[in-house]
Amino acid sequence: MSLRHIEIVDSDPTAALVTQRGLQVLLDTEVEVTVAPSPDAAWLDCLKEEVDLLIIDPNPQSRAATSLVKALRAYRPHVPVLVLTAYDTPRLRAQMQTLGVQHYLAKPIDLLDLNEVVRTALKTATHTDMMVPLKH
Amino acid sequence: MPKPSSVHNRRPLRTNHGRHQSRIHSRLMELQAQLAAAQQREAAALDRIAVLESRLSTLQSAPDGDRERLDTLLAICSALLVIHDVEAILQLISREVARLFPGTRSTLVFLVDPDRQQLALRATSNGQPCDLILHPDQGLARRSLLSPRAMLLTGRDLQTDLQSLLTSQIEQTSVVFAPWPPTSMLLAPLRVEAQRLGVLMLCSGSQTDLFHPRDLPFIQTLADLSAVAISEAQQRERATNLQHDLAQIQSLHAEAQARLSTAQAQLLQSAKLAAVGELAASVAHEINNPLYAARNSLYLVEQDMPPDATQRPFLEIAQNELGRIARIITRMRDFYRPTRAELTPTNVNKILIETVELVQTHLRHNRISITSDLTADLPHSIAHADQLRQVFLNLMLNACDAMPDGGCLHLTTGVLPPTNDRAACVIIRITDTGTGIAPEHLPHLFEPFYTTKPQGTGLGLAISAHIISQHDGQISVESTPGAGTTFVITLPVVSS
């Protein structure tokens, strides 16, 4: 069984670090949890099929994270996305739902609860050949 | 004298005597005939003298009659001075006419009905109710209404005018004109300056010479007195009605103003609360990240700590207290957000119409007309009706402020089909023809405490944007200085 990869996109580096360490501890060696330095870097990893679950916090000040979710839906729809946000609003929730995000959590959430949702997301995640070619 | 007869022509005496007697007889007969004729002429002359004496007597007694009529007119005038009710005036006239014109069989008073442009019978001397209506273009009505002064109508003229009546009118007329048809009539227009109020009609019955041209000044005087009294009573009645209407309108205006003031106060209060809520939500969002990091860091520390470590109770306290902070932050954030229970399928058109009713008086007072183009069968949106009403109210009041010299407020609603990025939406446009917004203000319009009005709080649009955002909707503005402004709101529709 190959190592599963969870990638985190969060503009708050401390929150990103806690998420990464916490999940790594809870999930032990089943998965590798990393923090992407930027949404663009995460996008490249997804294109390379190196991501099994993307955890993302869409910062309202920047549209990069939202654009990443849109791109994934269009070109890598099989990659599951978990929105873990500190900026929870009904509008964001609806927007993410419209974009096809299956998992949505609001901070501050306990790591144990996060762990449950992450495990569920990984179980439902399927490696398929649903890749859509990029347009040039 | 007969000439003496000559000798040679002498005849017997007896014969001459007979002839003489015969001549005398003839002469006597002639004289008797002349006497009879003279006696006849004398009798005729005596008759004429009697008639003339009678006429003279009538003429001699006229001044006394005129004085009596004058007294009657003065009495009627005094009575009219204290009567302020049209019906009472009409009854008085129809009753007192008999004193002015003894022998009158019936008196009718018609008044003009300005709404229907016709003459309606309002009072009769016999008191019989009758719904007789005359059209002003009918002979009798036209002649009497348009005549500059009173007239006496007899003979062929009267017959011609009576023939102009319809069969149904004749049936009604014969009731009040009994005996029918009248042989003479006195007609007088009821007028005040150029205004024609009605007609006064007197009927003689079968007595042809009851009325006399000498009566005309008296009936015209009575008609003029009556017209002035009727006009004054009508003006008084109209003034009373106007006062009543004015009081009612003032009451309605005060009521509408009070409702608007209450709504404005609520809007301001809501805006203040929302501003605080906006601030709280913004603080809550900023706290969420560090709170998340702190709580879960403690959890990670706890995992590496021996079960009997002395620091463990304090770690637990720290975790509990951070949990408490998290709950406080959540409560603070949710306090200003409508709960799901308050969000119901809402007809946006209905809310818009209700809001227009609320500001109708304010718009009229500011000479602002309102037009709308609301799409029928608009799908419902999940919304908090009161909050949506506050948004619409705020935008409409802003539009009023932008049109100090009056203008037009236009409302439209429609449906936007779903796209890849969003679900189907209801779109609402609120457009004014006001002064517009300068381009430099547009980016800051929805920021709290940003205002271009001297007395503005800068909260109205911020709270409106906040409410729309809480409904998963969007609000935007398009404006051209000098031409007007349009606020565009989109709200998701209820999905099937």
Side-chain angles (χ1 to χ4, degrees):
Chain A
M1 183 180 171
S2 61
L3 197 63
R4 313 293 292 276
H5 181 207
I6 297 174
E7 191 149 272
I8 298 165
V9 178
D10 196 329
S11 58
D12 186 315
T14 310
L17 176 67
V18 169
T19 306
Q20 187 265 327
R21 291 287 172 83
L23 286 178
Q24 193 64 75
V25 167
L26 291 170
L27 296 168
D28 202 6
T29 56
E30 296 172 38
V31 296
E32 182 192 18
V33 184
T34 60
V35 176
S38 69
D40 288 345
W43 169 235
L44 288 175
D45 290 342
C46 290
L47 283 181
K48 289 186 280 182
E49 296 297 321
E50 293 173 353
V51 177
D52 296 290
L53 175 65
L54 187 71
I55 298 178
I56 190 165
D57 185 357
N59 187 333
Q61 308 302 326
S62 162
R63 294 188 175 180
T66 309
S67 300
L68 174 58
V69 175
K70 286 183 185 174
L72 280 175
R73 191 191 174 202
Y75 301 108
R76 293 294 183 271
H78 59 280
V79 177
V81 175
L82 190 161
V83 168
L84 175 63
T85 182
Y87 305 95
D88 172 40
T89 62
R91 184 181 175 185
L92 180 65
R93 200 178 286 253
Q95 187 186 17
M96 291 300 126
Q97 197 175 2
T98 308
L99 290 175
V101 170
Q102 305 94 328
H103 309 285
Y104 185 99
L105 293 172
K107 293 176 188 171
I109 187 172
D110 285 341
L111 276 174
L112 288 175
D113 294 334
L114 175 63
N115 181 45
E116 288 298 315
V117 177
V118 166
R119 283 181 184 278
T120 307
L122 284 173
K123 275 181 195 167
T124 53
T126 51
H127 282 286
T128 66
D129 54 355
M130 287 175 64
M131 287 186 294
V132 177
L134 292 174
K135 290 174 185 170
H136 296 286
Chain B
M1 286 292 289
K3 291 180 182 175
S5 59
S6 61
V7 175
H8 66 272
N9 199 18
R10 185 170 296 184
R11 284 181 172 75
L13 182 62
R14 190 178 169 189
T15 303
N16 288 340
H17 179 72
R19 286 176 181 166
H20 181 67
Q21 277 187 328
S22 175
R23 257 188 243 118
I24 289 171
H25 180 70
S26 298
R27 182 63 182 159
L28 182 60
M29 291 300 286
E30 281 176 19
L31 288 173
Q32 281 178 337
Q34 286 175 359
L35 179 60
Q39 283 174 337
Q40 280 181 349
R41 284 200 296 275
E42 184 188 6
L46 285 173
D47 286 346
R48 280 209 301 278
I49 288 169
V51 169
L52 288 172
E53 279 179 343
S54 168
R55 287 187 182 173
L56 184 62
S57 170
T58 305
L59 288 171
Q60 283 173 339
S61 64
D64 290 340
D66 288 352
R67 271 196 299 276
E68 282 176 20
R69 286 181 167 188
L70 194 58
D71 290 342
T72 305
L73 279 173
L74 286 171
I76 293 172
C77 186
S78 301
L80 289 175
L81 282 173
V82 294
I83 299 176
H84 302 302
D85 176 64
V86 173
E87 292 303 324
I89 291 169
L90 297 176
Q91 294 302 325
L92 175 79
I93 298 165
S94 55
R95 194 177 60 240
E96 294 300 315
V97 157
R99 286 175 60 195
L100 272 176
F101 305 99
T104 301
R105 293 302 302 268
S106 55
T107 307
L108 298 96
V109 189
F110 290 85
L111 287 188
V112 171
D113 181 345
D115 294 334
R116 298 178 184 173
Q117 293 292 309
Q118 59 191 18
L119 279 169
L121 179 60
R122 296 287 298 273
T124 60
S125 53
N126 60 15
Q128 286 190 13
C130 180
D131 296 330
L132 180 60
I133 299 291
L134 296 180
H135 295 283
D137 55 348
Q138 282 184 308
L140 192 63
R142 185 174 59 189
R143 188 189 284 273
S144 49
L145 185 64
L146 300 181
S147 168
R149 56 189 176 276
M151 65 173 69
L152 173 58
L153 211 56
T154 58
R156 188 179 298 277
D157 287 345
L158 177 59
Q159 296 309 316
T160 306
D161 282 348
L162 292 177
Q163 281 167 7
S164 72
L165 295 172
L166 303 173
T167 311
S168 60
Q169 287 175 324
I170 290 173
E171 285 174 5
Q172 290 179 306
T173 310
S174 56
V175 175
V176 288
F177 274 64
W180 176 262
T183 53
S184 65
M185 289 180 75
L186 273 177
L187 306 173
L190 298 169
R191 67 194 178 181
V192 175
E193 296 178 351
Q195 190 187 3
R196 304 279 163 167
L197 300 176
V199 178
L200 179 60
M201 292 184 183
L202 275 63
C203 305
S204 67
S206 56
Q207 192 178 348
T208 314
D209 58 350
L210 178 67
F211 300 128
H212 191 274
R214 197 178 55 249
D215 295 329
L216 292 174
F218 290 97
I219 189 172
Q220 187 58 64
T221 304
L222 175 64
D224 288 347
L225 283 172
S226 307
V228 169
I230 290 168
S231 173
E232 197 264 347
Q234 286 177 337
Q235 303 264 16
R236 189 184 289 262
E237 192 178 329
R238 212 170 290 135
T240 307
N241 289 340
L242 283 173
Q243 269 184 330
H244 180 258
D245 290 349
L246 183 64
Q248 211 164 19
I249 287 169
Q250 280 176 332
S251 165
L252 287 172
H253 183 263
E255 196 181 320
Q257 200 63 40
R259 282 170 56 205
L260 185 61
S261 299
T262 307
Q264 280 177 313
Q266 284 173 349
L267 186 64
L268 186 62
Q269 182 64 16
S270 300
K272 285 177 180 172
L273 280 174
V276 174
E278 187 81 15
L279 189 64
S282 148
V283 169
H285 286 151
E286 293 306 322
I287 288 175
N288 280 339
N289 263 331
L291 194 59
Y292 166 78
R295 276 181 82 185
N296 291 309
S297 294
L298 288 180
Y299 170 77
L300 292 173
V301 169
E302 189 191 19
Q303 298 305 304
D304 292 338
M305 193 176 278
D308 56 347
T310 54
Q311 298 90 340
R312 188 170 277 279
F314 296 103
L315 197 61
E316 204 171 314
I317 288 172
Q319 279 183 315
N320 289 341
E321 291 307 300
L322 284 172
R324 203 170 130 201
I325 290 173
R327 286 192 295 277
I328 291 169
I329 291 292
T330 305
R331 274 209 305 275
M332 192 167 75
R333 186 191 61 195
D334 290 344
F335 183 75
Y336 300 99
R337 184 185 293 174
T339 63
R340 285 285 143 194
E342 293 169 319
L343 296 172
T344 53
T346 304
N347 184 336
V348 171
N349 281 350
K350 185 168 172 277
I351 304 288
L352 270 174
I353 291 166
E354 285 172 0
T355 313
V356 167
E357 283 171 5
L358 200 61
V359 295
Q360 193 93 54
T361 309
H362 190 66
L363 294 174
R364 199 167 46 241
H365 194 253
N366 288 279
R367 302 184 308 282
I368 295 168
S369 61
I370 185 154
T371 56
S372 64
D373 182 11
L374 307 183
T375 298
D377 301 325
L378 196 69
H380 285 188
S381 293
I382 291 288
H384 189 292
D386 283 342
Q387 289 195 342
L388 270 195
R389 201 174 291 114
Q390 279 186 4
V391 172
F392 296 152
L393 177 64
N394 184 55
L395 295 180
M396 288 181 199
L397 290 177
N398 276 358
C400 285
D401 291 343
M403 296 184 280
D405 301 321
C408 180
L409 182 66
H410 186 60
L411 310 177
T412 64
T413 56
V415 184
L416 294 179
T419 65
N420 289 337
D421 295 342
R422 55 155 180 75
C425 284
V426 166
I427 183 165
I428 305 120
R429 291 175 184 273
I430 299 177
T431 303
D432 66 59
T433 55
T435 51
I437 302 166
E440 63 268 26
H441 294 312
L442 288 175
H444 310 288
L445 221 52
F446 297 108
E447 291 175 8
F449 308 111
Y450 186 87
T451 181
T452 57
K453 299 179 199 169
Q455 304 298 325
T457 60
L459 291 173
L461 285 177
I463 174 59
S464 298
H466 176 71
I467 289 173
I468 296 301
S469 157
Q470 292 301 312
H471 285 77
D472 302 336
Q474 286 184 317
I475 183 168
S476 60
V477 60
E478 301 156 4
S479 186
T480 306
T485 302
T486 298
F487 280 90
V488 184
I489 295 170
T490 56
L491 291 170
V493 300
V494 179
S495 59
S496 56

